Structure formats: C-alpha cells, structure tokens
C-alpha cells in the first residue's frame, strides 16, 4: 500500500523544474523522489486547487507564480487527486484510487479498519470499494463488475500497511519542505502548511529559506 498522486502531463509548465511523467498515471509519494519528481507533485497539487477566487477569497495576483499558488494558499477545502494504491504482489492485482477519492481523505482507511463500514472510492463505470468481513478486508477493484478482481488481506496487515503510508507521506512532506525552501523562497512556510493540511500530517521544522 502506498500513497499516490494522479498526474497529468505538465505541457508548457515552466514555473519550476518538473519530471517527465506518464500522463494519466499515478506518482507514488515517498522520501525517495527526485527534486524534479517533487516539483511534479507540487505542480499537480497546486493545480488541483487552482480554482478561481470567489467572494470569500482575495483576487488572484498578477504575478504568474503567485497566481498559480493562489488557490493552494487561500482555499479552505484543499484536496489532491489520488489516494492509496494497493498491489497484491502474488497475483499482480492492483487496487487504484477512484474518481471520488483524494489523498486528503486517506485517514478514512483508519476509520474503516475500526468500524468496518463499507468504503467507496468511485462510481460507474469504475467503483473501487473496501469491505470488512470479520478480520478479513476485501478490496474490490471494480464493484460494477460481478467478476472483478479482488485483494484480500487481514485487518492486522492493513493496520501495518497504513503505518507505512503515514511514514511515506511524512517523508514526502520533508522532501517537499526542503524543495519549497529552494524553489519557492518567501512562500515556503504557507505552502508547506497547506500541503500538511492536505496530507493530514504534521508539518516538519522549517529549513532556512534560500
């Protein structure tokens, strides 16, 4: 299990360096990313929240960088397209985040483990769901298909996997903090605070800004 961010092609993006990532795929978040991959993740997260200001938020700045970051730094309801991906290495079956999923909701998995309520991540035509049957968790890749591939694991294993997810997110946030101090001087603190809100992870100590 790993946290992943849904990625689109960064065509024409020039505010900071980004990596060549296959469009419409998922970028795993961890402490192993290169600076360019972190830049890609930051580009995607900022673009997810780049909605035009309404009456409750200040107008978008004229500066291109501040304009791009405006939604991330001023929106109350932040999100990041993606979620948690689970792969069964013995079968090759992969459970992907759905269209109604987001990284900001990843802690819903903890509630699912505790109370066993069905957890849905999408809708027709692809509806990934997680169900608990006693001590067994069943992940159905697409509940719209009667013969959908499934992954089964025990509750104890899922709890252990969620510990790894939190570690990966914390490691990514530390990378993103150092990246922001280099590429977003003067904006590092609010950007990291917004990112910590999205990931539902405590922000690390701030490095000196360059």
């Amino acid at each position: 299990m790993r946290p992943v961010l849904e990625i689109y092609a960064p065509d024409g993006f020039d505010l900071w360096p980004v990596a060549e990532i296959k469009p419409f795929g998922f970028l795993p978040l961890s402490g192993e990313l290169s600076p360019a991959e972190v830049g890609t993740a930051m580009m995607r997260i900022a673009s997810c929240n780049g909605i035009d200001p309404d009456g409750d938020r200040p107008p978008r700045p004229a500066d291109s960088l501040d304009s791009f970051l405006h939604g991330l730094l001023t929106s109350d309801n932040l999100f990041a397209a993606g979620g948690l991906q689970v792969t069964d290495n013995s079968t090759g079956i992969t459970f992907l985040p759905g269209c109604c999923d987001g990284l900001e909701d990843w802690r819903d998995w903890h509630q699912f483990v505790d109370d066993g309520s069905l957890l849905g991540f999408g809708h027709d035509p692809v509806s990934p769901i997680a169900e608990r049957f006693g001590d067994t968790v069943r992940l159905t890749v697409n509940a719209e298909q009667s013969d959908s591939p499934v992954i089964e694991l025990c509750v104890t294993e899922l709890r252990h996997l969620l510990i790894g997810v939190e570690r990966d997110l914390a490691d990514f946030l530390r990378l993103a903090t150092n990246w922001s101090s280099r590429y977003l001087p003067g904006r590092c603190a609010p950007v990291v605070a917004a990112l910590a809100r999205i990931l539902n992870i405590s922000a690390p100590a701030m490095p000196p800004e360059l």
Side-chain angles (χ1 to χ4, degrees):
M1 175 178 271
R2 56 187 184 176
V4 295
L5 185 67
E6 187 177 3
I7 295 295
Y8 294 132
D11 291 342
F13 183 83
D14 60 1
L15 294 177
W16 57 73
V18 294
E20 291 294 331
I21 301 290
K22 181 180 178 180
F24 307 108
F26 291 94
L27 175 65
L29 301 183
S30 71
E32 302 300 319
L33 299 185
S34 69
E37 288 171 330
V38 175
T40 300
M42 298 298 290
M43 174 206 67
R44 179 61 177 138
I45 292 170
S47 66
C48 281
N49 296 282
I51 58 175
D52 288 331
D54 54 25
D56 296 327
R57 293 191 292 134
R60 192 182 296 275
D63 177 81
S64 58
L65 177 56
D66 289 329
S67 177
F68 185 71
L69 296 173
H70 189 65
L72 181 65
L73 300 183
T74 62
S75 297
D76 292 328
N77 299 313
L78 299 174
F79 77 101
L84 302 189
Q85 174 180 309
V86 184
T87 299
D88 185 338
N89 293 325
S90 65
T91 63
I93 295 172
T94 299
F95 180 89
L96 293 170
C99 59
C100 299
D101 197 15
L103 269 175
E104 73 282 358
D105 297 322
W106 77 271
R107 288 191 183 274
D108 288 352
W109 284 83
H110 284 287
Q111 183 176 347
F112 163 73
V113 168
D114 292 336
D115 63 26
S117 299
L118 183 146
L119 195 57
F121 304 96
H123 54 75
D124 185 33
V126 180
S127 301
I129 62 171
E131 301 171 280
R132 179 175 172 179
F133 303 93
D135 290 333
T136 299
V137 172
R138 179 179 299 163
L139 307 179
T140 302
V141 173
N142 185 4
E144 303 294 332
Q145 298 178 347
S146 60
D147 60 347
S148 171
V150 299
I151 296 174
E152 292 191 346
L153 64 160
C154 67
V155 171
T156 301
E157 182 180 0
L158 180 54
R159 291 186 190 276
H160 178 73
L161 291 173
L162 288 171
I163 292 173
V165 166
E166 184 163 4
R167 181 173 58 248
D168 283 340
L169 288 174
D171 289 346
F172 167 72
L173 185 55
R174 281 192 289 271
L175 275 187
T177 299
N178 290 328
W179 179 94
S180 297
S181 71
R182 176 178 180 182
Y183 290 101
L184 302 175
R187 305 167 181 87
C188 179
V191 166
V192 171
L195 189 59
R197 284 174 53 203
I198 293 172
L199 302 180
N200 208 345
I201 296 287
S202 299
M206 299 300 298
E209 295 201 29
L210 300 178

